[in-house]
Every structure is written in C-alpha cells, then in structure tokens.
C-alpha cells in the first residue's frame, strides 16, 4: 500500500502532466481545430477537475472566431460536452455562453 508521500508524489506528477498537456493543446486547437478535439480536451480536464484556462480560452476563441461559424461544426453532444466542462470547472466565457 502506498504511503501518503507516494500518493502526493503521484498527484504532483498527474498535475505536472496535465499542466504540460494544457500548455501544448492551445496552439493545436488554434491551428488544427476539430470539433471532437475541442470536446475531448475540455471533457478530459473537467473530468480530472484540473482547470486549464489556456485550453478553455483556446476552445472559446476557436469556436467564436469567424462570427461563430465553427459552432455550426459541433454536433449537439459535443456542444453539450463543452458546456458541461466549462460549467464543471466554473470557467465562464461571455463570448461563448
């Protein structure tokens, strides 16, 4: 059974990994946008309860740029997933919601 220090170390490693992924995703979202990528990125961070404002801001910018044309690319389930993720992490965005 892991000791308390081991659990803390594992949590720290998960957080470091989440931060690294959160830093790498925004440029990809901006340049290689795909509705499913946006949905899954938001879902993953919300499920882990790990706020990543840069990821959520990149998704919002991608969806609202060009007059919101990319919103039309989202299937209802993807839009619901993104909305759920924003709500779960209490990330507000006036341009998107």
């Amino acid at each position: 059974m892991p000791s308390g220090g081991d659990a803390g170390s594992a949590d720290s490693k998960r957080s470091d990994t989440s931060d690294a992924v959160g830093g790498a995703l925004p440029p990809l979202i901006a340049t290689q946008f795909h509705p499913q990528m946006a949905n899954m990125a938001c879902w993953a961070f919300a499920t882990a309860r790990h706020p990543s404002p840069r990821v959520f801001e990149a998704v919002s910018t991608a969806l609202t740029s060009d007059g919101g044309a990319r919103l039309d690319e989202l299937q209802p389930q993807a839009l619901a997933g993104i909305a759920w993720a924003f709500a779960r992490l209490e990330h507000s965005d006036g341009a998107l919601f």
Side-chain angles (χ1 to χ4, degrees), residues 44-56:
F45 280 96
T47 299
R49 294 183 184 235
H50 186 88
S52 184
R54 290 183 59 208
V55 170
F56 284 78

